[in-house]
Amino acid sequence: MGFAANAIEFMALSFVFILGTLAVGAAVLFVIDRFQTHDAIRRNYPVIGRFRHLFSELGEFFRQYFFAMDREELPFNRAQREWVGRASSGEGNTVAFGSTRNATVPGTPIFVNAPFPPLDDQSAQTTALQIGPTAKQPYLAPSIFNISGMSFGAISKPAVQALSRGAKQAGVWLNTGEGGLSPFHLEGGCDIVFQIGTAKYGVRNEQGGLSDTKLAEIAAHDAVRMFEIKLSQGAKPGKGGILPAAKVTEEIAGIRGIPAGQASLSPNRHPEMESFSDLLNMVAHIRSVTGKPVGIKTVVGSESVMRELFECIKARDTDCAPDFITIDGGEGGTGAAPMPLIDLVGMSVREALPMVANLRDEHGLKDRIRLISSGKLVNPGDVAWALAAGADFVTSARGFMFALGCIQALKCNKNTCPTGITTHDPRFQKGLVAEDKYARVAAYAREITHEVEIIAHSVGVSEPRQIRRRHVRIMQDGGQSRPMNELMPSYSPVAET
């Protein structure tokens, strides 16, 4: 009996103590809020005004998990992310009952099924395609779907390791991004595309220009199959790369050739290039030094600018032409970029890709220059659309981030990524186990290719690259769809039928 009374008395005193502590704390916060001058809400509504900030921070979380419908969220909705999750897990990727996609939304692509498609034993198969026929070491690329540029620095060591091993297992290439070639890119043994950004990370001399010696050293790696000159990327056209100081570790600084602990800001363009003629000179120079295919990555701003590029190529010699052009859409993503550039600058890949494909074909360069499409293409329908529009290959960065476990926390620029993908904080990195995640990377890449082949089979062709614009209808206002080859006719001396 005495024990029970003592326990009740202890709990009562504890309760009073807790209430007193809360009261004192509230009083302190009241005084702080009333006399601070930088937040009007807290000054006018002491203590309770703090909940506004808390709820604003948590709102993103609650919308993602409780309130947003499967097809509502941006930049990628739950249905897209869950497809990647199922694909990368290696489990069955079928769904039941019916589609949750609203097929009447203008712009929605609808593939035209053939009345008599090939039998199952004649299913579509992806074939390898050569890039760089004039290079000393052309590249026979085996996969239509590959990993887009994500630099070591923007993403973590275990993320690069998982991507490298997964790319090797799936037979796809891995683009280094502009941060240079790290040992972690090489350790998986996959094919690598080395990206040369405006700061020339990894191949720069002391003045920040291009070093032929370092370029040759990179090319000496058998795994490095191609080089890509980055002019611009979708999330920040006209702006160079931004790597916050918190991410510039000693290791990353050594690979890039920059000071540690300082924010790394790339120039907004290559200083030595002021015209397309200068660009073609650099393409030819890098191909001469490395002996390997060289291409460019760019965001399209207008048809006239891209026409100028192709006319410049034709006015010179096709030997100076880039071996590939990567078209990144204005909807592309990045770890850090100003909002006006993310929201407002750069043509969407949905408009730019068919336009550039037409210009390439019009100038007789279809077999000379391969087109690679990038920019928010993470599901099979996206990839199949890009092939129909004229792409030879498709690359994705954020799709593979989802395969690694990205939850779209939108913390890429803060070094606090909760899944360990875009952070260099060991506390968060330990959650990303490369030995486990690489299998998910490989499974995702294989499933994309498999399901694009299913679409190709359905429309009646034997290889995904044979999907044409006539095989796609685009939904219009009013609930009616129109053939893509009528909306965006392919260039041909004879009209496509």
Side-chain angles (χ1 to χ4, degrees), residues 384-421:
W385 171 88
L387 296 177
D392 299 296
F393 302 92
V394 173
T395 61
S396 176
R398 287 173 288 178
F400 283 97
M401 289 175 67
F402 290 136
L404 287 172
C406 171
I407 61 171
Q408 198 168 274
L410 308 181
K411 306 293 184 184
C412 308
N413 59 327
K414 298 180 180 178
N415 206 34
T416 57
C417 170
T419 59
I421 298 171

Side-chain angles (χ1 to χ4, degrees), residues 184-312:
F184 318 119
H185 289 106
L186 294 169
E187 68 179 43
C190 67
D191 291 347
I192 290 173
V193 177
F194 183 92
Q195 188 180 89
I196 302 174
T198 57
K200 315 295 191 300
Y201 294 131
V203 288
R204 58 190 276 142
N205 56 31
E206 293 181 358
Q207 292 74 41
L210 187 65
S211 167
D212 287 356
T213 301
K214 292 183 179 179
L215 195 61
E217 290 174 356
I218 297 294
H221 293 283
D222 291 336
V224 176
R225 300 302 187 115
M226 301 194 296
F227 289 81
E228 179 180 76
I229 302 170
K230 189 179 86 167
L231 301 182
S232 56
Q233 68 182 89
K236 47 190 172 188
K239 182 76 172 178
I242 303 171
L243 189 65
K247 287 189 172 186
V248 186
T249 64
E250 292 284 350
E251 185 175 42
I252 290 167
I255 292 169
R256 294 193 176 208
I258 56 175
Q262 298 181 21
S264 181
L265 306 177
S266 304
N268 66 316
R269 69 170 176 86
H270 291 271
E272 62 272 57
M273 286 191 289
E274 298 184 354
S275 66
F276 283 125
S277 183
D278 292 339
L279 170 62
L280 298 183
N281 288 340
M282 177 172 277
V283 168
H285 176 74
I286 295 174
R287 188 163 48 226
S288 174
V289 172
T290 65
K292 297 183 177 180
V294 180
I296 64 173
K297 177 177 182 177
T298 188
V299 181
V300 177
S302 70
E303 188 268 354
S304 61
V305 169
M306 295 307 296
R307 180 174 290 278
E308 182 183 349
L309 168 62
F310 288 108
E311 289 178 351
C312 185

Side-chain angles (χ1 to χ4, degrees), residues 66-262:
F66 300 110
F67 301 123
M69 299 294 287
D70 283 352
R71 300 281 184 174
E72 287 182 339
E73 198 177 357
L74 293 173
F76 292 91
N77 61 51
R78 186 181 295 114
Q80 291 173 303
R81 299 197 308 271
E82 288 187 352
W83 186 92
V84 176
R86 292 194 303 271
S88 60
S89 69
E91 301 173 358
N93 212 5
T94 57
V95 295
F97 203 77
S99 175
T100 62
R101 184 173 193 174
N102 183 356
T104 65
V105 174
T108 300
I110 301 170
F111 293 90
V112 180
N113 57 295
F116 306 103
L119 296 173
D120 286 340
D121 60 358
Q122 301 170 318
S123 58
Q125 296 290 320
T126 300
T127 58
L129 188 65
Q130 187 186 71
I131 305 175
T134 66
K136 293 179 182 177
Q137 301 177 52
Y139 177 41
L140 189 63
S143 176
I144 56 173
F145 188 64
N146 300 278
I147 304 176
S148 190
M150 292 179 281
S151 64
F152 175 53
I155 62 175
S156 65
K157 169 183 172 180
V160 175
Q161 291 173 314
L163 291 172
S164 176
R165 294 177 62 180
K168 173 64 175 178
Q169 188 175 88
V172 307
W173 78 58
L174 169 63
N175 190 307
T176 63
E178 66 173 299
L181 182 67
S182 74
F184 318 119
H185 289 106
L186 294 169
E187 68 179 43
C190 67
D191 291 347
I192 290 173
V193 177
F194 183 92
Q195 188 180 89
I196 302 174
T198 57
K200 315 295 191 300
Y201 294 131
V203 288
R204 58 190 276 142
N205 56 31
E206 293 181 358
Q207 292 74 41
L210 187 65
S211 167
D212 287 356
T213 301
K214 292 183 179 179
L215 195 61
E217 290 174 356
I218 297 294
H221 293 283
D222 291 336
V224 176
R225 300 302 187 115
M226 301 194 296
F227 289 81
E228 179 180 76
I229 302 170
K230 189 179 86 167
L231 301 182
S232 56
Q233 68 182 89
K236 47 190 172 188
K239 182 76 172 178
I242 303 171
L243 189 65
K247 287 189 172 186
V248 186
T249 64
E250 292 284 350
E251 185 175 42
I252 290 167
I255 292 169
R256 294 193 176 208
I258 56 175
Q262 298 181 21

Side-chain angles (χ1 to χ4, degrees), residues 101 109 111 350 377-386 448 451-452 455:
R101 184 173 193 174
F111 293 90
R350 303 279 174 172
L377 307 174
V378 303
N379 295 134
D382 301 324
V383 176
W385 171 88
I448 280 275
E451 295 206 8
V452 172
I455 295 174

